[in-house]
Amino acid sequence: KMSSGAADLRQRKKPNCTESDKMAPEERNKENSKLGRSPKYLLIQRCAKLFFGCLAAVTSGMMYAVYLSTYHERKFWFSSRQELEREITFQGDSAVYYSFYKELLKAPSFERGVYELTHNNKTISLKTINAVQQMTLYPELIASVLYQASGSEEVIEPVYFYIGIVFGLQGIYVTALFVTSWVMSGTWLAGMLTDTTRIDYSIPSRENWALPYFACQVAALTGYLKKNLNCSAEKFCYLLVSASTYTFMMMWEYSHYLLFVQAVSLFLLDSFALAQTEKVHEVYKIYLFSLFLGYLLQFENSALLVSPLLSLVAALMLSKCLQMNMKRGTFMSRLLKIVYIYLVLTITVTLNFLLKMFVPHKENEHLLKFIEVKLGLNTTKNFTMNWLLCQESLQAPSQDFFLRLTQSSLLPFYILVLVICLFSVTQVIFRRFCCSGEPLKETIKLEDGRIGERPEIVYHVIHTILLGCLAMCLEGMKYLWTPYVCMLAAFGVCSPELWMTLFKWLRLKAVHPILLALILSMAVPTIIGFSLWKE
C-alpha cells in the first residue's frame, strides 16, 4: 500500500523538462526504427499535418466571421441605412456600450475621453459614476485606441470598425474551438466538425467580446493538462492560459463566475488524482494573479474580492499541504479524501461569508439575489427582479431547443460520447480508490482503451456537465454550453481511443477492435459532415 501510494505521488508530480526532452527522442527513434521510418520522414509528416491543420483552423474562423458579417448585412440592410438607423439596430445593452465608444472618438484626446467616462454624470441622473469600472468598458477603450492608432478614420466608418472587431473575435472563438477539439482527438477533422455543428441564430451580444478569450484559455488549458508534453509546448500553453485568463477577466464583469465553474472542474479533477497536482495548482496561481491584477486595474473592483473564485482558490491553496500528505494509498487516506473535499468546501463558504462581511461591495448583488429567488431560497417584491424572472432567456430551455440539437445529430452523439467517457472515468476512479490503488499510466496506447485516464478529457467531461446544469436552469446559458457540446461530440466521434474504449467493454472478437476503431473514427464524422452540408 505504501509503495503504491509513493508511486502515485511520484506520478502526479510534474516531471523534469530536461529529462523528458532527452528521453522522448530516444523512445521515438526506437519506434521509428521498428516501423522502418526515418526521423526526417516523420518530421516532414508532422510539419505537414500541423501546417494544414492550422490552415484549416484559421480558414474556419475567417469563414465564420464572414458569415456573421454577411448575415448581419442581410438581416438589417446595414450598408443602406443612415448612421442613426444603424445605431438603432444595436439591441439591448449593445447600444449603450456603443454610445460610450462614440464618446471616446468624439473627445479631443483619448485621455480626456477616459476622464469623462470615469467621471460620468450623464448615464444616471444626479449621480456621477465611474462608467469604466461599473460597466466594464475596456472593450470600448481598446476599440477606440485601435481605431485611432491604426489611422482608420479615413478608411472605414467607426460603426463598421466596431462590429468588425466583434465578428473577428467570433472567428477567433471558432478557431479556438477547432484547436481544442484537434488537441483532444489528435485529428483536425474533429475541428472541422466542431465548426460545422456550431450554429448561432443571433448577432454576437455583449459577452461575446469576452467569450473568445475564454475559448482560447480552454484550448491552452487542454494542451497544458496533457501528459508527456514537452517543455517548450508546456511553457507556451502556460503563458497562453495566463494571458487569456487575465484578458477574459478584464473584458466581462461576470467572467469570474465562469472561471469559478472551471476552478470547480479542476478541483474535482485533482481530488480524484486524475491530473498532475503541480499543474492544477499552477492554474490556481494564475487565477490569484489575474484577480489581484484585475482588482488593481479595475479601480479596486470589490466584486473580485468577494467573488466565489477567490474564496475557492484561497481554500485550495491553504489545503494544499494537507492534500499532499494524504496521497498514501491506504484506506485511511481514502477516507480522508472525503474529509478533504468537505474541508475545502467549508473553508470556501466561510471565507466568502467573511469577505462579504468586511469588504464593502454593491456590484453583482442583483445576480446573487436573482439566483436565490430562482432556486426558491428567497422571495422578493422587487419589480426589476420579478421582471427578470419573466424573461425568456432566464427560463428553463424549451423543447424546441432540444429538438434542434437532436435534428442536427448533435445531442445523440454528445450523449453517447459523454456516457462512454463517464463510465471510463468511473472505472478509473473505482480502480484507484476502491481496489488496488493502481496508478495512472504515463503513456496510454490505443489498444489500452482507457480514455478516462486522460486528464484533459476528464476535465472537459466535468466542465461540460457543470455548464449543462446551468443551461438546464437558464436558457440564456445555452450559448456557453452548446459550443462545448459540439466540441466534445466532435472529439468523441473522431477519436479512435473512445471507440476502442467502447470495444474493449464489448469484447469484440469477430473484427479486430483497433482496425474497427480507426475506421469508425473516420467514417462517422465524414457521414455527419456530409449530412450537415446537404442540410
Side-chain angles (χ1 to χ4, degrees):
K1 295 286 186 179
M2 291 293 290
S3 60
S4 64
D8 175 38
L9 182 59
R10 288 194 300 269
Q11 185 266 336
R12 299 191 65 214
K13 286 185 178 179
K14 186 188 290 186
N16 185 279
C17 288
T18 55
E19 291 179 4
S20 61
D21 287 348
K22 288 179 181 178
M23 292 177 64
E26 295 176 1
E27 294 175 358
R28 286 196 295 265
N29 289 336
K30 289 180 180 179
E31 293 178 359
N32 296 342
S33 59
K34 290 179 181 179
L35 296 172
R37 296 175 180 175
S38 64
K40 186 177 180 180
Y41 169 79
L42 282 178
L43 180 63
I44 295 174
Q45 188 182 33
R46 287 175 183 171
C47 289
K49 181 181 177 181
L50 182 64
F51 172 77
F52 286 110
C54 292
L55 182 63
V58 174
T59 303
S60 297
M62 292 177 63
M63 289 177 64
Y64 186 70
V66 171
Y67 155 73
L68 281 179
S69 178
T70 306
Y71 175 74
H72 183 262
E73 171 64 28
R74 291 181 178 178
K75 183 177 181 180
F76 298 108
W77 296 96
F78 204 72
S79 60
S80 60
R81 293 178 180 268
Q82 299 296 323
E83 182 178 358
L84 181 60
E85 292 177 329
R86 291 173 182 172
E87 295 176 10
I88 293 175
T89 61
F90 289 106
Q91 301 173 0
D93 295 340
S94 299
V96 179
Y97 291 113
Y98 178 74
S99 67
F100 289 120
Y101 167 72
K102 282 182 60 180
E103 288 183 21
L104 282 168
L105 295 180
K106 290 179 180 178
S109 65
F110 177 74
E111 292 79 7
R112 181 63 187 176
V114 173
Y115 177 82
E116 291 179 355
L117 290 182
T118 53
H119 299 78
N120 181 278
N121 56 5
K122 300 177 182 177
T123 305
I124 301 178
S125 179
L126 303 176
K127 190 175 182 181
T128 300
I129 63 170
N130 185 343
V132 178
Q133 178 193 12
Q134 294 192 16
M135 304 190 71
T136 318
L137 298 181
Y138 296 98
E140 281 66 36
L141 294 177
I142 295 173
S144 62
V145 169
L146 291 176
Y147 184 74
Q148 294 174 340
S150 60
S152 303
E153 294 93 335
E154 300 177 358
V155 180
I156 188 172
E157 296 179 43
V159 64
Y160 279 107
F161 190 84
Y162 185 80
I163 64 174
I165 293 178
V166 177
F167 296 149
L169 286 173
Q170 302 316 297
I172 295 174
Y173 194 174
V174 167
T175 300
L177 292 174
F178 185 109
V179 172
T180 306
S181 190
W182 180 12
V183 171
M184 292 168 66
S185 63
T187 170
W188 49 269
L189 181 62
M192 296 292 290
L193 194 60
T194 299
D195 301 337
T196 302
T197 51
R198 185 179 183 270
I199 301 173
D200 197 345
Y201 293 96
S202 64
I203 295 301
S205 55
R206 174 64 184 178
E207 58 268 18
N208 286 96
W209 280 91
L211 290 178
Y213 298 104
F214 182 67
C216 292
Q217 190 251 26
V218 170
L221 183 61
T222 303
Y224 185 66
L225 291 174
K226 285 177 69 72
K227 296 179 181 179
N228 299 324
L229 197 65
N230 64 64
C231 191
S232 57
E234 184 176 314
K235 288 180 179 179
F236 174 76
C237 290
Y238 178 81
L239 292 174
L240 186 55
V241 170
S242 304
S244 53
T245 301
Y246 171 70
T247 307
F248 175 58
M249 193 170 292
M250 294 292 291
M251 291 292 174
W252 194 26
E253 59 181 320
Y254 301 122
S255 58
H256 53 89
Y257 291 110
L258 190 54
L259 291 174
F260 170 74
V261 175
Q262 186 183 71
V264 172
S265 305
L266 292 173
F267 164 59
L268 295 175
L269 183 69
D270 182 51
S271 297
F272 293 120
L274 297 174
Q276 292 178 359
T277 301
E278 292 297 326
K279 284 188 175 183
V280 175
H281 281 274
E282 286 297 322
V283 179
Y284 294 157
K285 293 176 184 177
I286 292 174
Y287 290 149
L288 286 177
F289 176 77
S290 299
L291 285 167
F292 175 72
L293 199 58
Y295 171 75
L296 294 179
L297 296 183
Q298 290 183 6
F299 304 93
E300 298 182 357
N301 187 2
S302 58
L304 297 180
L305 294 182
V306 298
S307 67
L309 175 64
L310 179 61
S311 301
L312 175 62
V313 173
L316 289 166
M317 299 299 286
L318 289 173
S319 306
K320 181 180 179 181
C321 295
L322 177 61
Q323 183 191 20
M324 293 299 293
N325 292 332
M326 289 192 305
K327 313 292 184 182
R328 293 293 182 268
T330 62
F331 173 77
M332 185 56 67
S333 68
R334 296 165 190 163
L335 186 62
L336 288 175
K337 176 65 69 175
I338 301 175
V339 177
Y340 165 75
I341 296 175
Y342 174 78
L343 180 64
V344 170
L345 296 177
T346 304
I347 295 176
T348 301
V349 174
T350 306
L351 188 59
N352 191 253
F353 177 76
L354 293 174
L355 286 171
K356 287 181 177 179
M357 281 184 61
F358 294 103
V359 177
H361 67 286
K362 293 182 180 179
E363 292 84 2
N364 301 335
E365 277 188 353
H366 61 283
L367 179 62
L368 298 176
K369 289 180 181 178
F370 171 79
I371 294 174
E372 289 179 0
V373 176
K374 183 71 177 179
L375 297 177
L377 303 176
N378 199 352
T379 58
T380 181
K381 294 182 179 179
N382 183 277
F383 172 78
T384 304
M385 200 64 60
N386 287 311
W387 177 78
L388 287 173
L389 290 170
C390 296
Q391 295 301 303
E392 183 180 353
S393 61
L394 300 177
Q395 303 296 320
S398 61
Q399 292 183 355
D400 183 59
F401 169 63
F402 296 103
L403 182 63
R404 290 201 308 269
L405 291 182
T406 304
Q407 288 176 343
S408 64
S409 305
L410 175 59
L411 191 60
F413 281 107
Y414 167 73
I415 293 175
L416 173 65
V417 173
L418 186 64
V419 168
I420 294 174
C421 291
L422 273 177
F423 271 108
S424 182
V425 171
T426 306
Q427 190 177 35
V428 172
I429 294 173
F430 181 81
R431 192 184 297 124
R432 298 205 64 197
F433 290 97
C434 301
C435 297
S436 58
E438 177 185 342
L440 298 176
K441 285 188 174 183
E442 282 291 335
T443 304
I444 301 174
K445 298 180 180 179
L446 177 60
E447 56 268 22
D448 294 333
R450 292 187 177 186
I451 194 109
E453 289 192 8
R454 291 178 56 186
E456 71 275 15
I457 304 301
V458 183
Y459 157 73
H460 278 286
V461 169
I462 299 173
H463 196 195
T464 189
I465 290 175
L466 294 178
L467 291 177
C469 293
L470 293 175
M472 294 305 103
C473 299
L474 305 172
E475 186 173 7
M477 297 296 292
K478 67 184 181 183
Y479 294 108
L480 293 175
W481 179 59
T482 308
Y484 296 99
V485 170
C486 298
M487 183 183 62
L488 192 70
F491 141 75
V493 298
C494 296
S495 173
E497 289 182 64
L498 184 126
W499 295 110
M500 190 64 198
T501 302
L502 178 62
F503 296 152
K504 287 277 285 188
W505 294 339
L506 298 177
R507 297 182 180 179
L508 291 180
K509 295 182 179 179
V511 184
H512 199 287
I514 296 180
L515 178 61
L516 187 58
L518 292 170
I519 293 174
L520 285 178
S521 65
M522 294 293 291
V524 173
T526 302
I527 294 171
I528 295 173
F530 273 115
S531 64
L532 288 171
W533 173 77
K534 183 180 179 181
E535 188 177 320

